[in-house]
Amino acid sequence: MLTTTLSFSNLHHHGELFAKLFRARKQSFIIQKNWDLPEAEDMEFDQYDTPQSRWIAVHDKGEVLAGFRLTPTIARCGIYSYMIRDAQKGILGGSIPQDLLYAEAPVDEQVWECSRVFVGHDIPQSLRRKVHFKMVEAMTASARELGATRLIALTGASWPRWYGRCGLEAEAMGRVLWIDDGHFQCVSINLTAKMH
């Protein structure tokens, strides 16, 4: 099982992996979760998939098992910055409540947002835990390489249960929210703490 950090400048080194990641996102978010998101050529994408972001794929034998996106909180593209901040500012049209954070969304070169996190629905239960650990390992390593000391994410509200198991030091940044199909909460992950 491999993890690869993709960027617009290194895509050409990884063959079809970038396209496969976006196809896996479509499968996860549009087909499985039935979210109303943009798609083209069998791939899901949005306004945050710009050269400012990085994408991490967990893959094995040419198949994408899981993935996520990292976006700097200093990102700008037209009216958009990053998902959590744009939701707070009301730019996303109310799909995510504006009061998702206790304080103002950070804009800091050392803080990155983790979004579009998924594990393929067809990954057997016996392998899921290993895939989750691989994702956490890749998420923290990639973010640190990008200069991040902190990650923020809008994640499932059950995060306290499994973040600790994965050795992550995290704290709530906002209240628990009901969005689409479940309870979610914004969290801050400290990347300067040693993983245990």
Side-chain angles (χ1 to χ4, degrees), residues 37-78:
L37 298 168
E39 63 174 297
E41 296 184 25
D42 207 28
M43 294 179 256
E44 180 271 318
F45 65 95
D46 69 16
Q47 63 270 35
Y48 306 110
D49 292 310
T50 74
Q52 298 169 98
S53 290
R54 299 293 180 271
W55 302 264
I56 288 75
V58 178
H59 54 104
D60 192 40
K61 298 180 182 82
E63 293 308 310
V64 172
L65 308 177
F68 55 91
R69 174 179 60 207
L70 297 176
T71 303
T73 59
I74 58 168
R76 291 288 170 282
C77 186

Side-chain angles (χ1 to χ4, degrees), residues 82-155:
Y82 65 95
M83 192 185 69
I84 290 172
R85 184 169 185 260
D86 291 348
Q88 187 180 54
K89 292 189 165 298
I91 295 171
L92 300 183
S95 54
I96 301 170
Q98 279 185 256
D99 63 344
L100 76 168
L101 296 173
Y102 296 136
E104 197 167 322
V107 177
D108 180 331
E109 64 185 25
Q110 293 186 311
V111 179
W112 285 59
E113 178 188 57
C114 182
S115 59
R116 284 299 193 269
V117 179
F118 73 92
V119 176
H121 74 288
D122 55 354
I123 306 299
Q125 204 57 45
S126 58
L127 194 57
R128 288 183 94 77
R129 196 178 175 111
K130 186 177 178 188
V131 171
H132 279 132
F133 279 110
K134 205 73 167 152
M135 284 175 77
V136 168
E137 211 174 68
M139 175 183 75
T140 53
S142 295
R144 284 182 181 124
E145 277 174 28
L146 293 162
T149 57
R150 193 159 63 104
L151 276 176
I152 62 173
L154 178 58
T155 189

